[in-house]
């Protein structure tokens, strides 16, 4: 059962463009939504995270938009750079933060 | 030195062989996890442990076993490897607030 659905599976964006990755969840008990970034040959690393009491969180060129009523959240990468080329995973946790449920991942390629 | 260290980085084995993947951490975290990554399927939880005496199955534990030898060490075993266990395996630790710290992974190929 896929509790967090992520799209698209892959994405190609021109340098300077906006990359958008979308996720949807089903479990209303989720209350923490992180995004992880994974470079080839490396493990995922936390990029940015949001709690459902806010609709947006921005850190540099990375922004999470959160729509609680629609049970959707998205990652926006502004002014995308070739160094942003990586696989991105959305995730969700519920109270106690014991287990993380991951989306299926999006492979982003930013071309010059 | 890496906070979460996995050995080996790469392993090729044959069907039916028993293998062990090892993980050690210097984060001082109680919570440790084993994940499997497959293209198009994302990261799936195999086993997790919240302390030395606590072991829990994840969503895909069949064919795997684990051992928590100490707070810092958590190993994953495949008792009799099969080709569909070919995957990238990650060990991770977490803070109580849920932030995960991953190792660099073990690429396992079962022939």
């Amino acid at each position: 059962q896929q509790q967090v659905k992520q799209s698209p599976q892959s994405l190609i964006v021109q340098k300077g463009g906006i990359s958008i990755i979308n996720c949807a969840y089903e479990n209303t008990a989720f209350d923490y939504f992180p995004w992880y970034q994974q470079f080839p040959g490396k493990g995922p690393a936390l990029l940015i995270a949001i709690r459902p009491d806010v609709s947006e969180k921005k850190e540099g060129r990375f922004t999470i938009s959160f729509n609680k009523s629609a049970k959707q959240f998205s990652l926006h990468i502004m002014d995308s750079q070739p160094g942003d080329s990586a696989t991105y995973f959305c995730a969700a946790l519920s109270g106690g933060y014991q287990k993380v449920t991951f989306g299926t991942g999006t492979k982003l390629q930013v071309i010059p | 030195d890496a906070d979460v260290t996995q050995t080996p980085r790469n392993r090729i084995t044959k069907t039916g062989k028993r293998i062990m993947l090892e993980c050690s951490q210097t984060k001082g975290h109680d919570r440790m996890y084993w994940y499997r990554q497959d293209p198009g399927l994302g990261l799936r939880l195999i086993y997790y442990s919240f302390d030395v005496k606590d072991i829990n199955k994840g969503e895909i534990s069949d064919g795997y076993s684990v051992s928590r030898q100490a707070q810092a060490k958590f190993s994953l075993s495949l008792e009799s490897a099969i080709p569909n266990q070919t995957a990238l395996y990650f060990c991770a630790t977490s803070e109580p607030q849920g932030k995960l710290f991953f190792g660099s992974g073990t690429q396992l190929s079962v022939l």
Side-chain angles (χ1 to χ4, degrees), chain A residues 36 38 41 43-44 89 96-98, chain B residues 31 33 37 50 90 100 102-103:
Chain A
Y36 283 81
Q38 182 185 27
F89 293 96
Y97 308 131
Q98 295 181 348
Chain B
R31 299 180 180 183
Y33 306 80
Q37 183 176 1
F50 290 161
F90 285 102
L100 287 166
F102 286 86

Side-chain angles (χ1 to χ4, degrees), chain A residues 1-2 9 32 36 38 41-46 51 87 89 93 96-105, chain B residues 9 31 33 35 37 39-43 45 48 50 88 90 94-100 102-105:
Chain A
Q1 180 183 4
Q2 185 65 44
Q9 187 170 357
Y32 182 62
Y36 283 81
Q38 182 185 27
K42 301 291 186 182
L46 181 66
R51 298 189 187 280
T87 298
F89 293 96
L93 297 80
Y97 308 131
Q98 295 181 348
K99 291 191 294 181
V100 181
T101 299
F102 285 94
T104 51
Chain B
R9 289 297 310 273
R31 299 180 180 183
Y33 306 80
Y35 285 92
Q37 183 176 1
L41 297 179
L43 292 156
L45 183 62
Y48 61 104
F50 290 161
L88 182 57
F90 285 102
S94 80
E95 299 174 336
Q97 299 83 3
K99 180 179 178 180
L100 287 166
F102 286 86
S104 294

Side-chain angles (χ1 to χ4, degrees), chain A residues 46-89:
Chain A
L46 181 66
L47 178 64
I48 187 173
I50 195 168
R51 298 189 187 280
D53 52 345
V54 296
S55 60
E56 185 176 282
K57 183 173 182 180
K58 183 176 181 179
E59 291 185 2
R61 297 184 292 108
F62 300 89
T63 300
I64 301 177
S65 297
F66 187 84
N67 186 328
K68 188 174 181 178
S69 62
K71 293 187 287 185
Q72 296 176 348
F73 58 110
S74 59
L75 176 69
H76 297 237
I77 306 174
M78 310 300 289
D79 186 27
S80 298
Q81 299 296 313
D84 297 330
S85 297
T87 298
Y88 292 82
F89 293 96

Side-chain angles (χ1 to χ4, degrees), chain B residues 1 5 16 31 37 41 49 63-64 73 81 83 92-93 102 108 110:
Chain B
D1 289 341
T5 303
R31 299 180 180 183
Q37 183 176 1
L41 297 179
S49 169
Y64 301 96
K73 296 184 180 295
T93 70
F102 286 86
L108 175 66
V110 183

